[in-house]
Amino acid sequence: MTFSSLFVQMLNGLADASAMFMVAAGLSLIFGVTRIVNFAHGSFYMFGIYIAYTIVGMMGGTGLGFWASVVLAALAVALIGALIEILVLRRIYHAPELFQLLATFAVVLVLKDVALYIWGAEDLFGPRAPGLTGSVEILGRRVPQYDLALICIGPLVLGLLWLALTRTRWGKLIRAATQDREMVGALGINQAWLFTGVFALGSFLAGLGGALQGPRMPANLAMDLEAIGSAFVVVVVGGMGSIPGAFLAALLIAEIKALCIAIGQVELFGMVFSLSKLTLVAEFLVMAFILVVRPWGLLGKPLALSRNVSGVEDPLRPTSKAVRALFIVVIAALVAVPLLAAAFPYLTVLLVEILVAVLFAASLHFIMGPGGMHSFGHAAYFGLGAYGAALLFKSVGLPMEAALMLAPLVAAIGALVFGWFCVRLSGVYLAMLTLAFAQIVWSIIYQWDAFTGGSNGLVGIWPAAWLSSPVAYYYLTLVMCVAGVWLLRRALFSPFGYAMRAGRDSPLRADSIGIDVKQVQWMAFVVAGMFCGLAGSLFAFSKGSISPEAISVSRSIDGLVMVLLGGVQTLAGPIVGASVFTWLHDTIARETEYWRAILGLAVLALVLAFPLGIVGFLRTVFQRGDKHDGGTPGTKPVTVTVTDPAALREAV
């Protein structure tokens, strides 16, 4: 490595940082004011480059046509963002924040298929920027002129944002809403239009960042998830809601990536390491380090508590006789399903996928609902369980049965390590740290070709002979799933479960009566990881192979959707949500090329109709009906006098 090559790589890093900053700045603005974790922000970035490609084709890529297309594309994306905020998000601002996240995920699915319908699946290469098609020689190396222009555009956008936020009344309102949005509303400011304006500005920045990437990379349908992952990392590292922090974080991450590429391979203790491979996970390593050392990011502050919160959850109660009878009927029906295997041979295969999804969602709900800990990286334990089973079976040579039962311990060990760091954070910072650990695990699996098979994965992972038929493996999965869900439920009604919910509802009070909240949460991570690993091992043997997709971000998002769709405040929510989502996904995907849009619209309709989830909505309906009858379903009214302390404690 020479100084000239290092310097040129650092310049390339500055160009990447400018593009990364513009996307992250928009996301930071939206989150700072609306408190929405906007998964659709990456879609706005993708639409920016696609729309710019179309407008350039209409106007021509010469002279001012190119730069006009960039600005017009960003304005078009701003309009799309404003319409989405008005038509979708404005209707659910009073719903729990995680359901707003679910709505934005549904928007991602719809926008991806809209792009597929308009522009097709092929990569589209746009023209180069006029006047910036050549290169400049610096220290004997050639640097593209357009990269140098991007290096200047990033600080220019930062300066304009700073002026808008500090020198205009609207900017002051944005900064005030970032600190205390309820107080801004109490002072008579129209929150609805303020939120719409901020969402439009954030969408404009995402579209601008995408449109400016046209001369550097082709437009493709995978840009949305790639962009949102990097944007989230930059925002969290810089500090949620901090625009200068986002710029500093973008510089830090981009330069670290450039440095890894410039150094290439290094030799330590006789072993050769390729630092260039770290570019796949460098930002997540940086985020994990920053969150452990400084939980609020480089320039961030602890988030202000929102007074616009949902009501206190009712305590968990034992299942009524009617609900227990319903579950018995459902299990009996599942036991009888193989009788239909001759007429519907695919039915048992689909039900295996649903049962695996149910166990995956139930393990995630265990820490999200009763534990109050949000996770964006739960697929890490699913993947550790799946790869643990595959490697124990193929590399170690253990029987299938032993590999199936030992694999969850591999996932539990991973949860033991990751959970120790995660429980020291809360809210979106905890969620992003779980995402960082999941991406680190994915990177190791993806790049360790000699051990994990790399991007090709592992094949030949088949069940034992007595489980080789689809019906036999279905019964095994059914038994494992029912047992896993039952054990998780029993844990919630044990002293450990009560301690976990106490730490969620009031950490200070729980600590004052001797509950070690962090230790309880840590153990909850281990329990959830173990059962998630069991779901992963069942998945591996059901497919006969395993690949890095099993541990990707999309699977973690699917788990969130399942839990939220069913209802995070209910025990049956993850079961119903996983069943409905998996069935919809499979049914729609087999019928049309544009299954994502239909699935997204279905999820969006369910979110708007049932903001508390499907089971949460049904529970509310039953409770309303029971109020007219004068009691709680399955219970009798109980009167307890305050003068009877023992009875009062029993009632509580």
Side-chain angles (χ1 to χ4, degrees), residues 405-414 530:
M405 300 310 297
L406 289 176
L409 298 180
V410 177
I413 293 172
M530 182 175 66

Side-chain angles (χ1 to χ4, degrees), residues 18 22 67 146 148-158 208 212:
S18 291
M22 282 180 273
W67 297 107
Y146 190 73
L148 297 176
L150 281 181
I151 294 174
C152 299
I153 291 175
L156 176 63
V157 172
L158 174 62
L208 180 64
L212 288 171

Side-chain angles (χ1 to χ4, degrees), residues 169-170 172-174 176-177 180-195:
R169 181 175 182 273
W170 188 65
K172 293 178 181 178
L173 290 178
I174 292 177
D180 196 330
R181 59 178 181 174
E182 285 78 27
M183 183 59 69
V184 170
L187 293 175
I189 304 301
N190 190 323
Q191 283 194 25
W193 289 112
L194 178 63
F195 287 7

Side-chain angles (χ1 to χ4, degrees), residues 598-642:
I598 299 176
L599 178 62
L601 291 173
V603 171
L604 196 57
L606 290 171
V607 170
L608 295 176
F610 313 123
L612 296 179
I614 298 173
V615 179
F617 170 78
L618 295 175
R619 184 178 65 178
T620 302
V621 171
F622 289 141
Q623 287 177 346
R624 288 175 181 172
D626 185 71
K627 286 181 180 179
H628 295 295
D629 298 334
T632 303
T635 64
K636 297 180 180 180
V638 178
T639 302
V640 180
T641 61
V642 179

Side-chain angles (χ1 to χ4, degrees), residues 2-13 15 128 132-148 151 216:
T2 62
F3 175 76
S4 61
S5 63
L6 176 62
F7 184 77
V8 170
Q9 283 296 339
M10 291 300 166
L11 287 178
N12 292 334
R128 294 192 174 187
L132 298 173
T133 58
S135 60
V136 176
E137 183 174 341
I138 300 178
L139 298 179
R141 302 272 180 168
R142 308 298 298 184
V143 179
Q145 292 176 336
Y146 190 73
D147 283 4
L148 297 176
I151 294 174
R216 303 184 78 212

